[in-house]
Amino acid sequence: MDQAKIRPIPEPSLRRLPAYLFYLRRMLAGGRDVISCPHIARDLHLDPTLVRKDLEATGMIGKPKVGYPIPQLVGTIEEFLGLHNTRDAFLVGAGHLGAALIGYEGFREIGLNVVAAFDADPAKVGGQLRGISVLPMDKLIELAQRMAVHIGIVTVPAAAAQSVADAMVTGGIRAIWNFAPTHLRVPESVVLEEVQLSSSLAVLSSRLNKMLAPE
Amino acid sequence: MDQAKIRPIPEPSLRRLPAYLFYLRRMLAGGRDVISCPHIARDLHLDPTLVRKDLEATGMIGKPKVGYPIPQLVGTIEEFLGLHNTRDAFLVGAGHLGAALIGYEGFREIGLNVVAAFDADPAKVGGQLRGISVLPMDKLIELAQRMAVHIGIVTVPAAAAQSVADAMVTGGIRAIWNFAPTHLRVPESVVLEEVQLSSSLAVLSSRLNKMLAPE
DNA sequence: TAGATTGTTAATCGATTAACAATC
DNA sequence: TAGATTGTTAATCGATTAACAATC
């Protein structure tokens, strides 16, 4: 059990947690108060043992024959994902993608709070992006330090992404969420999560190819 | 060798191919004409053997001591990913995310062509989204059939996503790229690729938590 | 109690990494 | 030729799935 705590959660498990969370919140809203792994597995089309392992990794324990109490389960997953902590973020690149992310409904559910946007384009600076002020790039480092913001979102073109990331690191940002179609380099001490849409499209395109190919 | 053809490429390999492609195109533009796996591996921070396996999976063969001819390598990867075929797509949900995707620079590099957008909002219908006409939802099925479009992009809210996907399937669309924060159900014969930003954010948030936690 | 579900250990599966002969 | 790189086979590693005793 001590060893279980030492071993980190597998990344695939981590990626499944939001799906559990959203599902469990719906169940809770529907008036349910306990649920079993086989039940979750049926609804989400997963293997029951896989679900059990995933829940186990969050530290949750259940009752044989009964299942897991949903309110505690929701709380445990939220806690595990760090949703109970402040999740203030800076967004750099006040274009459509930035606007889309700020308005993304999945965000509210997982509790990310964009407190300011930045852009290199003087025409955008001073304006608003979905109610968020757009500030000039040269304020980024100082403001990040002053406001102790820990998350930076990169939605600039590929060519500008690395210098934006460098500024974020200098400003003390500890986690960078990169949407630019390029791979960034950050120090070991900074968390980097990259959303490479090209990779996703490659999977789609290649599989479609195979599907349409005459055997 | 016959068995190698039968065995499908591992998904992680597939996801790395766009990175190779973009990198190799840059090398080619820089005047290089051959490259070795160790060289690629150094530049992209990957294991050399992993790179070799990935390239092997595309059917490419190299010369010992020399490496691989870059023009052929680029062509082989493009062919493998299906970029030489028409990649016309419909986009449903003419919001910021849709606009962002249409303008996404990574797309041009990988050759996706959005030919029409659709929206349920009458205020948006008849307008343009980055130069693409926005059509009413009830035209989707007929137009997809008539134009033989095979790719559908879903950028609507979670609540509307499944019905949009159903319409796409009815219209003969064979590959769905889903950005809505919900999991879709499609027939076996339809390729589904889901971009779950919540999963990505969960990874970021959880790792940041661990990083900031006092041991 | 009987039976379903949990918790846990073992088996399987697949991807990555290591080892090494073939080759240019 | 010597040496670097390819192609290929084996070892390792980690996630998923299967098996089964414990338990409510």
Side-chain angles (χ1 to χ4, degrees):
Chain A
M1 302 185 180
D2 268 2
Q3 283 195 325
K5 267 186 194 164
I6 292 167
R7 141 171 333 206
I9 187 172
E11 185 174 310
S13 294
L14 193 46
R15 289 192 181 273
R16 283 188 291 268
L17 291 183
Y20 296 138
L21 182 59
F22 299 166
Y23 167 80
L24 292 166
R25 283 178 181 163
R26 277 208 310 281
M27 289 290 124
L28 197 59
R32 251 187 169 278
D33 62 344
V34 278
I35 198 158
S36 71
C37 289
H39 191 145
I40 297 173
R42 254 188 313 275
D43 286 347
L44 301 183
H45 287 68
L46 296 169
D47 183 277
T49 306
L50 187 66
V51 175
R52 199 164 307 119
K53 291 246 171 185
D54 288 343
L55 298 188
E56 190 195 359
T58 67
M60 194 66 196
I61 51 172
K63 276 206 185 69
K65 167 130 169 96
V66 181
Y68 300 80
I70 301 184
Q72 283 91 316
L73 199 43
V74 167
T76 300
I77 296 175
E78 287 175 343
E79 179 65 33
F80 190 88
L81 292 178
L83 309 191
H84 292 163
N85 302 336
T86 312
R87 291 284 94 127
D88 285 348
F90 278 175
L91 183 143
V92 180
H96 281 292
L97 183 55
L101 291 180
I102 290 172
Y104 191 67
E105 63 188 315
F107 275 27
R108 260 157 284 150
E109 297 199 74
I110 214 152
L112 188 76
N113 183 34
V114 177
V115 292
F118 297 83
D119 206 290
D121 181 358
K124 283 181 178 161
V125 169
Q128 300 253 317
L129 191 73
R130 293 217 171 185
I132 311 283
S133 296
V134 179
L135 309 175
M137 279 304 296
D138 56 24
K139 289 268 193 286
L140 174 66
I141 295 175
E142 187 211 329
L143 264 178
Q145 289 170 338
R146 183 137 56 88
M147 298 173 74
V149 167
H150 291 133
I151 299 180
I153 308 174
V154 178
T155 54
V156 300
Q162 186 60 57
S163 70
V164 166
D166 293 344
M168 285 176 169
V169 170
T170 302
I173 275 176
R174 303 299 301 277
I176 294 178
W177 204 15
N178 177 38
F179 288 83
T182 185
H183 291 276
L184 299 180
R185 297 281 152 74
V186 297
E188 290 271 321
S189 60
V190 174
V191 175
L192 175 64
E193 169 71 11
E194 305 198 300
V195 177
Q196 292 298 336
L197 295 183
S198 302
S199 291
S200 179
L201 184 54
V203 174
L204 186 86
S205 182
S206 166
R207 284 190 184 149
L208 175 60
N209 243 25
K210 230 151 253 139
M211 199 66 103
L212 297 179
E215 206 56 14
Chain B
M1 302 183 179
D2 268 1
Q3 284 194 326
K5 268 185 193 163
I6 291 166
R7 142 173 330 207
I9 187 173
E11 185 174 311
S13 295
L14 194 45
R15 289 192 181 273
R16 282 187 292 268
L17 290 184
Y20 296 138
L21 182 58
F22 299 166
Y23 167 81
L24 292 167
R25 282 178 180 162
R26 277 208 310 280
M27 288 291 124
L28 197 60
R32 252 189 169 278
D33 60 344
V34 278
I35 198 157
S36 71
C37 289
H39 191 145
I40 298 173
R42 255 189 312 275
D43 286 348
L44 301 184
H45 287 69
L46 297 169
D47 183 278
T49 307
L50 187 66
V51 175
R52 199 165 306 120
K53 291 247 170 186
D54 287 344
L55 299 188
E56 189 195 1
T58 67
M60 194 66 197
I61 51 174
K63 275 206 186 69
K65 166 128 171 98
V66 181
Y68 300 80
I70 301 183
Q72 284 90 315
L73 198 44
V74 167
T76 300
I77 295 176
E78 287 175 344
E79 178 66 34
F80 190 89
L81 293 178
L83 309 190
H84 291 161
N85 302 335
T86 313
R87 292 281 96 127
D88 284 349
F90 279 175
L91 182 144
V92 179
H96 281 292
L97 184 55
L101 291 180
I102 289 172
Y104 191 68
E105 62 189 317
F107 275 27
R108 260 157 283 151
E109 298 199 74
I110 214 154
L112 188 77
N113 182 35
V114 177
V115 293
F118 296 83
D119 207 290
D121 181 357
K124 283 180 179 163
V125 170
Q128 300 252 317
L129 190 73
R130 292 218 171 184
I132 310 282
S133 297
V134 179
L135 309 176
M137 280 304 296
D138 56 24
K139 289 268 194 282
L140 173 67
I141 294 176
E142 187 210 330
L143 263 179
Q145 289 170 338
R146 182 138 57 87
M147 298 174 73
V149 168
H150 290 134
I151 299 179
I153 307 173
V154 178
T155 54
V156 299
Q162 186 61 57
S163 70
V164 166
D166 293 344
M168 285 177 170
V169 170
T170 303
I173 276 176
R174 304 298 301 278
I176 293 178
W177 204 16
N178 177 38
F179 288 83
T182 185
H183 291 277
L184 300 179
R185 297 283 150 75
V186 297
E188 290 271 321
S189 59
V190 174
V191 175
L192 175 65
E193 170 70 12
E194 305 198 299
V195 178
Q196 292 298 337
L197 295 183
S198 302
S199 291
S200 178
L201 185 55
V203 174
L204 186 86
S205 183
S206 166
R207 285 190 183 148
L208 175 60
N209 243 25
K210 229 152 254 138
M211 199 67 102
L212 297 179
E215 205 56 15

